[in-house]
Amino acid sequence: MSKSATQQASKASDAPDPGEDFSADLSAWMDGELSGARARLAYRGMMADESRRAQWARYHLIGDALRGSLPEPALVDLSQSVMAHLEEAPARPATLSRLMRNPRLWGLAASLVLASVIAVNPWHRQEGGQAGPQMAQAELAAVDPAPVASASNATEGELAAARLEPYLRNHNQALADAGEGARMLPYLSMAEYTAEPVAASSP
Amino acid sequence: MRSKNQRGWATFWVMMLAVFCGNARAEEVSSDWAMRIISAYDRLSYQGIFVYLKNGSLETMEVVHSAADGGQTRLVSLNGEVTEIHRRGNQMTRYLPQRGLFIEGLRWSNPFFASVPEDISRVAAHYTLKSGETDRVAGRECQRVEVQPRDALRYGYRLCVDREAALVLDAQLIGEQGQVRQEVMFTQLLVVKQIDPALLAPGMNTSGLKRYLVKTRTHGANGADARTWDVVAPPPGYRLVFGGDHTLPDGGGEQEHLVYSDGLSAISVFIDAGPLRGKPIIGQTSRGSMNAYGDVREGHQVLVVGEVPYAALKAMVEALRRRP
């Protein structure tokens, strides 16, 4: 696989910059070419440093622009912002990698790498040496049959998430009813959950 | 509800202003300034893009918010599954065109810091606020603020609040070890005078989508007297703010629901009314930034959830008793 625009751009300079390795890792991570411990380090480095998170966001913006997949109702100043970032990085190549050209591959690679960064295994996470939850696969399949994704082809994690979903939704909605608001993090209660169809019923 | 939220907002932002001004006494802060910030979310219209973590993946969403007509909001996922979330008033609809459906019946709560106390001393007893440096997020100048818990029964927050528009540009949920458990950060934000109504319409043909309705039947909200269970000694600072019951979908039965809040963090305690069905949920798990802990009390499934450490969830379960 050829290097992406971001990766090549980050490797364009030979100057011994302490942030250079991170930049290379970040762009490789975005290309789906970084795995395991390096990916985790890249993620932690990004979350711990404001400028690196901004760098990540900038790379994504550039990637979106190169793929022509900027949001339809784009912000007024988005194109100017992208162009400004492009001007800051003159070494960007004219051609795109196969991954960059193919949004499906891009999404798949990103999902795989990011999933390995923070693996969440519902109902089996152990913390502080305490016993994990107990739930049998057969019983999981019997709970809340999904109208969209059937229980037969759902993973154990998906089924556990589906069982948890009504509780989380009721939590958020009770807070709304009580005038307590939902969460401290903006928009998260609306954006975070995707399994609602499992808990929803057709009228 | 609005008035309660408004009072909460007032308290929180007066506290924030005290931090901004380096002044420990909130009473000395100009009320005009406080009201300007309190009303920011009601009166501002804006478009932006924010990123957050979802199930281990970094997700990107665009938000379009109009202050007109009681407030309308549209959230659009920019990666992963095509998802749109629309809000008009307190009603929310989620469109999932790739699954050929949309979901109604979800209620909307204020996305920014609606969960704030009416009594400033309540928060001060369990959290400390520290102002940080001026920073830039999404190209906008903002003030860093740290909300640190005084014990291990709640999480802390690191915020960056737009100094001009008073919107939260970056919010991090901080775990027990100081790690970032969850983060929502704007990468683009544009405050505008008016939103084009076309930007608030679904970006898809919705005529072929199947409608689903979330059927949550809630009885006796805040009806403390009807409760059959009680948390006799909740963790310090948490007090009951909601008591009711729900009907779970697909024959899931009735469940009693208690919500406890310390003003910033909230914990829900669910007790299934009927006997155990199959193997119970026992132990801990997490979903996004939310933690959950399951146990059995007197033959009933108990599940406790909240954006709080497991220690707080377990303390709730341990203190749960059937009312005499």
Side-chain angles (χ1 to χ4, degrees):
Chain A
M1 182 183 298
S2 62
K3 302 299 181 188
S4 74
T6 51
Q7 190 170 354
Q8 292 193 22
S10 66
K11 293 179 176 176
S13 171
D14 293 331
D17 183 345
E20 187 177 38
D21 287 345
F22 175 80
S23 295
D25 280 354
L26 183 62
S27 57
W29 180 29
M30 290 183 65
D31 286 350
E33 295 176 354
L34 201 65
S35 61
R38 290 292 292 270
R40 282 189 288 274
L41 279 174
Y43 170 75
R44 287 172 186 158
M46 184 188 74
M47 295 305 284
D49 187 295
E50 189 70 28
S51 63
R52 288 175 174 178
R53 278 185 283 129
Q55 186 180 10
W56 177 87
R58 194 163 60 244
Y59 279 7
H60 257 283
L61 194 64
I62 292 167
D64 287 346
L66 290 173
R67 293 194 310 275
S69 60
L70 285 171
E72 195 60 35
L75 301 176
V76 173
D77 63 347
L78 201 57
S79 59
Q80 294 173 353
S81 175
V82 171
M83 289 309 297
H85 291 314
L86 289 173
E87 287 168 5
E88 289 172 10
R92 304 198 188 288
T95 58
L96 305 179
S97 70
R98 186 168 64 92
L99 180 63
M100 292 287 283
R101 286 194 303 269
N102 190 328
R104 287 186 178 179
L105 284 176
W106 170 276
L108 178 62
S111 299
L112 289 172
V113 172
L114 289 169
S116 72
V117 172
I118 308 172
V120 178
N121 188 4
W123 302 113
H124 286 278
R125 181 173 169 175
Q126 307 249 342
E127 191 171 286
Q130 297 185 13
Q134 306 155 9
M135 186 178 290
Q137 176 72 33
E139 286 149 3
L140 277 166
V143 173
D144 290 337
V148 180
S150 69
S152 60
N153 60 17
T155 66
E156 184 178 350
E158 289 168 342
L159 291 165
R163 190 171 181 185
L164 185 58
E165 182 64 30
Y167 294 93
L168 298 179
R169 189 183 63 247
N170 286 338
H171 172 71
N172 283 331
Q173 302 221 347
L175 290 174
D177 287 346
E180 287 287 320
R183 314 274 287 281
M184 282 287 284
L185 274 61
Y187 290 117
L188 207 56
S189 61
M190 281 67 74
E192 194 170 59
Y193 305 123
T194 57
E196 280 151 350
V198 175
S201 304
S202 56
Chain B
M1 191 170 84
R2 170 58 60 91
S3 63
K4 185 176 179 182
N5 274 339
Q6 291 269 337
R7 287 196 300 275
W9 277 68
T11 305
F12 187 81
W13 284 116
V14 165
M15 197 162 60
M16 283 291 180
L17 277 175
V19 171
F20 287 178
C21 300
N23 186 339
R25 295 187 58 196
E27 294 80 3
E28 295 180 5
V29 177
S30 160
S31 59
D32 289 344
W33 260 98
M35 287 311 297
R36 174 175 173 264
I37 295 177
I38 292 160
S39 64
Y41 295 98
D42 287 334
R43 64 181 171 79
L44 290 180
S45 295
Y46 52 89
Q47 293 174 269
I49 293 175
F50 64 88
V51 295
Y52 67 102
L53 284 167
K54 184 175 75 177
N55 300 331
S57 296
L58 286 161
E59 301 287 330
T60 311
M61 291 199 100
E62 178 173 23
V63 56
V64 182
H65 174 78
S66 170
D69 301 325
Q72 293 183 65
T73 307
R74 178 188 177 206
L75 298 176
V76 183
S77 66
L78 299 183
N79 59 340
E81 181 180 10
V82 177
T83 306
E84 286 202 21
I85 301 161
H86 290 245
R87 188 272 299 199
R88 179 186 285 270
N90 68 348
Q91 292 300 310
M92 188 163 61
T93 302
R94 184 187 292 270
Y95 295 94
L96 298 164
Q98 288 174 293
R99 307 190 204 185
L101 60 90
F102 68 98
I103 305 163
E104 293 183 326
L106 299 162
R107 288 192 294 282
W108 173 277
S109 56
N110 200 322
F112 285 101
F113 300 99
S115 178
V116 290
E118 297 174 48
D119 180 2
I120 194 170
S121 63
R122 233 179 116 205
V123 164
H126 302 287
Y127 297 88
T128 60
L129 276 80
K130 292 169 62 178
S131 63
E133 298 177 349
T134 299
D135 202 346
R136 287 180 77 244
V137 172
R140 300 176 68 92
E141 190 173 300
C142 59
Q143 176 70 47
R144 288 276 170 201
V145 177
E146 289 211 15
V147 183
Q148 296 177 332
R150 293 182 187 272
D151 58 29
L153 297 171
R154 53 215 104 219
Y155 287 139
Y157 301 88
R158 290 194 196 112
L159 315 172
C160 208
V161 185
D162 191 307
R163 292 181 70 90
E164 179 186 348
L167 294 166
V168 177
L169 302 179
D170 184 20
Q172 300 173 352
L173 178 69
I174 307 300
E176 298 98 319
Q177 309 303 321
Q179 78 278 20
V180 177
R181 284 182 51 84
Q182 179 59 282
E183 179 167 18
V184 179
M185 180 179 69
F186 275 94
T187 57
Q188 294 274 319
L189 182 67
L190 187 66
V191 178
V192 297
K193 287 185 178 178
Q194 193 172 3
I195 292 290
D196 180 352
L199 295 181
L200 294 164
M204 70 204 76
N205 181 1
T206 61
S207 60
L209 301 181
K210 186 175 181 181
R211 175 176 176 263
Y212 282 82
L213 182 67
V214 173
K215 294 176 179 175
T216 299
R217 190 162 56 89
T218 303
H219 315 280
N222 300 314
D225 290 340
R227 286 182 286 126
T228 56
W229 293 82
D230 202 4
V231 178
V232 293
Y238 289 95
R239 70 181 187 193
L240 184 71
V241 295
F242 176 92
D245 56 80
H246 306 283
T247 303
L248 288 171
D250 301 319
E254 300 282 324
Q255 64 176 196
E256 189 164 333
H257 184 189
L258 311 173
V259 180
Y260 291 79
S261 170
D262 70 354
L264 294 184
S265 303
I267 300 173
S268 275
V269 181
F270 297 96
I271 309 105
D272 284 1
L276 287 173
R277 296 182 305 137
K279 200 167 185 178
I281 300 171
I282 297 176
Q284 60 194 34
T285 187
S286 65
R287 175 88 183 276
S289 57
M290 299 287 283
N291 287 331
Y293 183 78
D295 205 346
V296 174
R297 283 286 181 274
E298 300 186 26
H300 295 269
Q301 173 72 63
V302 174
L303 193 74
V304 186
V305 302
E307 215 165 52
V308 299
Y310 288 115
L313 300 181
K314 291 172 185 170
M316 281 286 181
V317 173
E318 292 301 320
L320 185 66
R321 300 284 186 278
R322 187 190 288 275
R323 299 182 96 189

